[in-house]
Amino acid sequence: MLVIQDVSKNYGNFTALKDINLEFSAGVYGLLAPNGAGKTTLIKMLVTLISPSKGEILYNGTNITNFDEEYRDILGYLPQQFGYYKHYTPKKYLMYLAALKGIDKKVAHDRITELLKKVALSDVANKKMRKFSGGMIQRVGIAQALLNDPKILILDEPTAGLDPKERARFRQLLTELSRERLIIISTHIVSDIESIANEVVMIKNQELLYMDSVENICHTLEGSIYETSIANEELESFRKNHVLLSEKQERGSMLVRFVHKGSPEPEWTLKSPHLEDVFLFEYRDDLSLDV
Ligand SMILES: Nc1ncnc2c1ncn2[C@@H]1O[C@H](COP(=O)(O)OP(=O)(O)OP(=O)(O)O)[C@@H](O)[C@H]1O
Ligand SMILES: [Mg+2]
């Protein structure tokens, strides 16, 4: 069990995170917030790359900085920007990292063969990474995070640069990996985690906004999401008076999805909220949406 207790992080005078309290057990946790919200800051503290300015992070009751190698041994981490050697093959690169981690050569060899299969890179195991697509590189990154079969797997924006098919494959892989493991994945893409996260953590204005199931988070907008068709020329004034979540051109008119609290107009259709709605609504200022 990993517990974040009253954690704040300042960079000089700037407060990146304020009084964060979180508890993680097994399962997949999605850290969902827009750019600059503090996802990487939180993750770097969890992997002991930086220290909290205030508060502490405990693993099974012990401050994570009080462990020697013990904590890092159970940790797998994919940084947002991960360094790889493009003239290396995935196999050579992973063997090199395994050596750095002190994993026995024979054990490493078997483990790497298995991991490359898991991330669907067996075919290119001995090809230089120079010509790999973004998705292939990310999969090498995930493989390196799994080298020590970690109990805690932390992935910082692992789907950056992946196409929709690769994203789908990635979600499937995470679901497979999530048995008996704690996985924390940061993203600003709702669909990456909506279907696979047991709980979603959202940070807003440096503070914790939600840590809850997708269902409960969506419930916060229950009864407030509507869709209706409006004439194209009404769009401007509609934007001024409502929080628009999406707009879609239809034959001669606009289908708009929006948030409205209070009594609705009769022609509006009430919709069930999705996580995307909550994301767009809560971060409307950061995302410069119209209010
Ligand atoms: N070393 C640093 N020194 C000063 N400010 C920093 C430092 N690292 C991050 N910040 C600031 O802290 C805030 C949070 O940054 P962080 O990288 O944690 O956000 P993020 O949610 O990971 O963003 P992104 O989605 O762009 O990766 C940002 O305003 C950022 O500019
Ligand atoms: Mg980041």
Side-chain angles (χ1 to χ4, degrees), residues 75-146:
L75 203 65
Y77 169 49
L78 174 65
Q80 186 165 3
Q81 262 108 28
F82 101 97
Y84 64 99
Y85 303 95
K86 53 184 183 213
H87 294 295
Y88 275 35
T89 69
K91 195 160 179 186
K92 188 172 167 198
Y93 172 65
L94 293 171
M95 284 300 288
Y96 163 72
L97 291 180
L100 288 184
K101 285 178 194 258
I103 303 173
D104 174 80
K105 208 168 173 181
K106 171 79 177 70
V107 174
H109 181 272
D110 293 350
R111 176 103 190 111
I112 287 165
T113 305
E114 179 198 329
L115 278 177
L116 288 171
K117 201 164 145 196
K118 195 169 250 165
V119 298
L121 288 175
S122 303
D123 293 355
V124 292
N126 295 310
K127 291 238 159 49
K128 286 189 180 176
M129 293 191 275
R130 191 160 43 96
K131 288 190 177 164
F132 280 18
S133 70
M136 290 162 85
I137 295 294
Q138 282 306 78
R139 278 183 273 146
V140 175
I142 292 164
Q144 66 77 30
L146 289 167

Side-chain angles (χ1 to χ4, degrees), residues 253-264:
S253 62
M254 260 318 180
L255 177 68
V256 289
R257 187 176 175 97
F258 57 99
V259 180
H260 180 86
K261 307 212 172 185
S263 50

Side-chain angles (χ1 to χ4, degrees), residues 36 38-41 80 156-157 186:
K39 300 182 294 296
T40 297
T41 299
Q80 186 165 3
D156 196 356
E157 305 233 15
S186 84

Side-chain angles (χ1 to χ4, degrees), residues 4-7 17-22 42 206-208:
I4 299 183
Q5 217 166 61
D6 296 323
V7 163
L17 290 172
K18 204 158 73 188
D19 299 325
I20 304 287
N21 285 287
L22 291 169
L42 187 66
Q206 294 76 48
E207 295 184 88
L208 181 67

Side-chain angles (χ1 to χ4, degrees), residues 48 80 87 97 142 177 190 204 207 245 250 280:
T48 68
Q80 186 165 3
H87 294 295
L97 291 180
I142 292 164
L177 293 173
V190 174
K204 182 177 169 181
E207 295 184 88
L245 301 170
E250 284 188 322
L280 292 173

